[in-house]
């Protein structure tokens, strides 16, 4: 289901030229992968597994911020050194593409919409896109390694706007967390919430098949 808020335009795609995607929790379900990844680091340090609150934090934030949040300060260098030895592809079998995503991306692209990624992933985004054969859909792909300040700083969105040469009013950001909501607000673009009714958003998207139907309706004559 796609629902607009009372203050939203009656048509979510009205005036829209581009859609920016968050990755984790939107494009992929990576909760298990993230949990295993960061718990492997803690296990190496002789620490217990993360708490549910820590799991939520690392699911949203960049890797260095996440490690700093779950590891004692005097062991950060040790944790980072070990992190670099973990092959990210070991985590891909625990990462699952959101149902309907590829068909939705195909429809969006075929109707001329610009598509980009803005994520707090650091060095794993390209591998993930290659694994699921999604590289062809997105330009640019902005990670925390490509900006001076990760989300919720709007720097990543600003880079995308410049690459596309579009106005802020012509772009929507699809995310699933308060961090994404803050990013969109700071960047001055529309915010669409994915599977999170607690967020304040112009549009609430419950699944990608519903978003496709909304797109098809928007493109019908009259």
């Amino acid at each position: 289901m796609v629902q607009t808020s009372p203050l939203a335009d009656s048509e979510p795609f009205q005036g829209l030229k581009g859609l920016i995607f968050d990755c984790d929790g939107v494009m992929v379900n990576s909760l298990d992968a993230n949990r295993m990844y960061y718990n492997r680091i803690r296990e190496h340090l002789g620490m217990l597994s993360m708490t549910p609150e820590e799991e939520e934090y690392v699911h949203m934030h960049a890797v260095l911020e996440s490690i700093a949040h779950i590891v004692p300060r005097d062991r950060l260098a040790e944790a980072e050194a070990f992190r670099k030895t973990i092959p990210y592809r070991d985590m891909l079998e625990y990462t699952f593409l959101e149902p309907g995503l590829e068909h939705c991306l195909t429809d969006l692209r075929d109707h001329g919409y610009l598509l980009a990624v803005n994520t707090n992933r650091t060095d794993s985004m390209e591998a993930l896109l290659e694994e699921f054969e999604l590289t062809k859909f997105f330009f640019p792909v902005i990670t925390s390694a490509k900006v001076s300040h990760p989300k919720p700083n709007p720097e990543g969105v600003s880079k995308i706007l410049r690459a596309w040469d579009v106005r802020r009013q012509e772009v929507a950001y699809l995310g699933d967390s308060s961090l994404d909501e803050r990013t969109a607000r700071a960047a001055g673009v529309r915010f669409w919430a994915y599977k999170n009714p607690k967020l304040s958003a112009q549009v609430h998207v419950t699944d990608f098949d519903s978003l496709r139907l909304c797109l098809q309706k928007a493109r019908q004559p009259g």
Side-chain angles (χ1 to χ4, degrees), residues 41-60:
I41 295 172
R42 284 170 65 109
E43 180 181 356
H44 176 76
L45 300 178
M47 301 175 64
L48 297 175
S49 297
M50 294 183 292
T51 65
E53 292 75 19
E54 289 170 331
E55 290 179 5
E56 182 178 1
Y57 185 94
V58 301
H59 195 60
M60 293 189 294

Side-chain angles (χ1 to χ4, degrees), residues 13 19-30 95-110 115-117 121 125 128-138 174-175 192 194-195 205-213 215-216:
F13 286 94
L19 186 58
I20 301 172
F21 286 73
D22 175 40
C23 177
D24 298 276
V26 176
M27 295 167 56
V28 295
N29 181 335
S30 55
T95 303
F96 307 98
L97 204 64
E98 278 291 303
L101 173 64
E102 189 169 1
H103 287 152
C104 187
L105 292 175
T106 299
D107 282 4
L108 287 165
R109 181 191 61 185
D110 290 350
L115 304 172
V117 175
R121 282 179 176 256
M125 190 65 221
L128 186 149
L129 291 176
E130 291 173 5
E131 176 71 16
F132 292 108
E133 299 182 351
L134 299 178
T135 304
K136 59 189 175 185
F137 292 109
F138 298 106
L174 182 64
W192 292 8
Y194 187 72
K195 288 187 175 181
V205 180
T206 57
D207 59 83
F208 282 110
D209 288 337
S210 295
L211 187 59
R212 284 182 69 205
L213 290 175
L215 171 63
Q216 291 168 10

